[in-house]
Amino acid sequence: MTMSKSIDTYEKMLKNAWSTTWHHKYWWFLGALAGLASTGAVFNNVFKVFIRLQPAENITVDTLENIFPALSWLTAYARNLVLLDSAKLQIYIVISIVFVVIAVAIILTAQHLLVGAAGAGAKNHPTEQIKKLFGKVHHIHLLRLFAVDALAVISTTILMSLGALAITLLLGDSYFINLFAYAGVNVIVLPIAFLINIILMMMIIHIVRHEDSIGIAFREAFLLVKNHWLVALEYALLIFAINFITSILLLIALLLIAGLTGLLFQAMLAAGSFVLMSFATFLGTIIAAIVFVAFAGALTMFNYVAWVELAGRLKRFGHVPALEHGFQQVARIFNK
């Protein structure tokens, strides 16, 4: 197998993933829900670790809110609860717990269904496929998925905390020492973050497709990454590039919608109609929301199908990384 054939294999898997995603748009809404747990874009998570990694002594409330976007909402919610009397407090807590449990169950079910659809190639009729996949969803599977998703958050948080602590201990008065400290910590932290994310993604696939326990799923995922880490790295970079490019296209689309909505609003303003102005704003918001949800759902589904394609490929045939072929070709040149 040459380097070009290796790249062609990646291209074929990504094309299959896109074909499945495009021809099964009815799964995009589930993709948007599943993305709340994990988007499947491994390098996006790694990139977030790189951005958020700061010295521990410089961590402030703003930093924590950047790491945990829901922190500001949770603290505000907690302050409001303190102001309630005992009876209302108990009611609000019970309602909140029920709401969170239902929301988590819906998101995990969507994640399970999406991985199942990705594994099946979404081949059957929509109604038949949904019934078939729903029949495979059991509470034990949802608990396992919850454990893996929670493990992803906990492990990433611990990794970022250790990295921040290491940077703090290594920082000095010299600019070059600090530069090497940041570089050294990131050289260690980022590969670990990549390995954690890809292992957890493969665990999700094994839990859903093979109904494995968490222990077996971890073993299979670890062995796959251990034996094919360079393939996973190349593939993750390709998926990251696709996510990055499509995100730019989404931004352009939203800007165009905002611009057209602004022009429509100005026209309604000139007409002096408050009702039409409100309608223009409402219409622009609805269109933007639909575009965003469709984009998020489609991209999440594409990511899931792409990883399922890779997992299936490595299980059946294996794959030689393109970089390995490149190094071999360079070595042949120097050995002549």
Side-chain angles (χ1 to χ4, degrees):
M1 182 184 286
T2 62
M3 183 175 180
S4 60
K5 288 184 178 179
S6 181
I7 295 174
D8 288 342
T9 301
Y10 289 139
E11 183 180 353
K12 181 180 178 181
M13 289 189 291
L14 293 173
K15 281 184 176 179
N16 289 341
W18 171 245
S19 177
T20 299
T21 302
W22 181 251
H23 290 101
H24 300 87
K25 301 178 184 66
Y26 44 85
W27 288 104
W28 289 6
F29 179 70
L30 284 178
L33 289 174
L36 297 175
S38 173
T39 62
V42 173
F43 251 90
N44 285 13
N45 296 333
V46 177
F47 191 66
K48 289 176 183 177
V49 172
F50 173 76
I51 293 176
R52 296 170 179 174
L53 194 58
Q54 299 180 25
E57 62 183 6
N58 293 333
I59 290 181
T60 62
V61 174
D62 292 336
T63 307
L64 293 175
E65 290 180 354
N66 184 41
I67 296 174
F68 308 104
L71 181 62
S72 58
W73 181 85
L74 289 174
T75 53
Y77 183 71
R79 285 195 297 267
N80 291 332
L81 287 181
V82 173
L83 300 176
L84 299 175
D85 58 59
S86 179
K88 290 184 178 179
L89 179 61
Q90 293 176 4
I91 294 174
Y92 269 86
I93 291 176
V94 170
I95 293 175
S96 299
I97 292 175
V98 171
F99 175 80
V100 169
V101 170
I102 293 174
V104 169
I106 291 173
I107 293 170
L108 293 175
T109 302
Q111 193 177 21
H112 192 290
L113 292 173
L114 191 64
V115 176
K123 296 175 183 177
N124 300 333
H125 188 274
T127 305
E128 296 175 359
Q129 177 105 31
I130 291 174
K131 288 181 179 179
K132 183 178 179 180
L133 293 176
F134 254 116
K136 295 182 178 180
V137 178
H138 302 289
H139 68 278
I140 187 64
H141 300 150
L142 299 185
L143 290 174
R144 289 169 181 169
L145 286 178
F146 177 78
V148 173
D149 291 331
L151 186 60
V153 175
I154 293 171
S155 58
T156 303
T157 302
I158 292 174
L159 183 63
M160 290 172 59
S161 301
L162 293 175
L165 180 61
I167 290 178
T168 302
L169 296 175
L170 292 173
L171 287 179
D173 297 328
S174 171
Y175 171 79
F176 291 101
I177 291 177
N178 294 341
L179 182 63
F180 280 115
Y182 275 100
V185 170
N186 279 292
V187 165
I188 296 173
V189 169
L190 296 185
I192 295 175
F194 166 75
L195 292 175
I196 288 174
N197 279 275
I198 188 60
I199 287 174
L200 294 174
M201 189 67 210
M202 289 300 171
M203 286 180 67
I204 290 173
I205 293 173
H206 273 276
I207 288 172
V208 175
R209 294 201 62 197
H210 307 292
E211 299 186 3
D212 291 337
S213 65
I214 293 178
I216 295 175
F218 174 77
R219 183 192 66 193
E220 293 296 323
F222 179 79
L223 289 175
L224 187 144
V225 174
K226 177 185 175 182
N227 296 328
H228 304 283
W229 65 271
L230 188 53
V231 173
L233 174 63
E234 292 176 343
Y235 201 63
L237 284 171
L238 289 172
I239 293 176
F240 174 76
I242 293 172
N243 278 253
F244 181 75
I245 293 171
T246 51
S247 296
I248 293 176
L249 295 177
L250 172 66
L251 178 61
I252 294 173
L254 292 178
L255 289 174
L256 288 174
I257 292 172
L260 293 175
T261 302
L263 292 175
L264 183 61
F265 182 85
Q266 290 296 327
M268 298 303 101
L269 181 62
S273 174
F274 177 79
V275 174
L276 291 178
M277 285 189 295
S278 300
F279 174 75
T281 304
F282 175 76
L283 181 63
T285 303
I286 292 297
I287 293 175
I290 293 173
V291 170
F292 181 80
V293 171
F295 169 84
L299 198 57
T300 299
M301 182 176 180
F302 169 80
N303 293 337
Y304 275 61
V305 179
W307 284 114
V308 169
E309 287 275 340
L310 179 67
R313 170 77 190 187
L314 295 180
K315 279 284 185 181
R316 295 192 303 269
F317 309 110
H319 185 66
V320 179
L323 285 175
E324 184 175 330
H325 284 300
F327 290 139
Q328 290 174 352
Q329 292 176 2
V330 172
R332 291 194 194 101
I333 295 174
F334 283 101
N335 290 331
K336 290 182 178 179

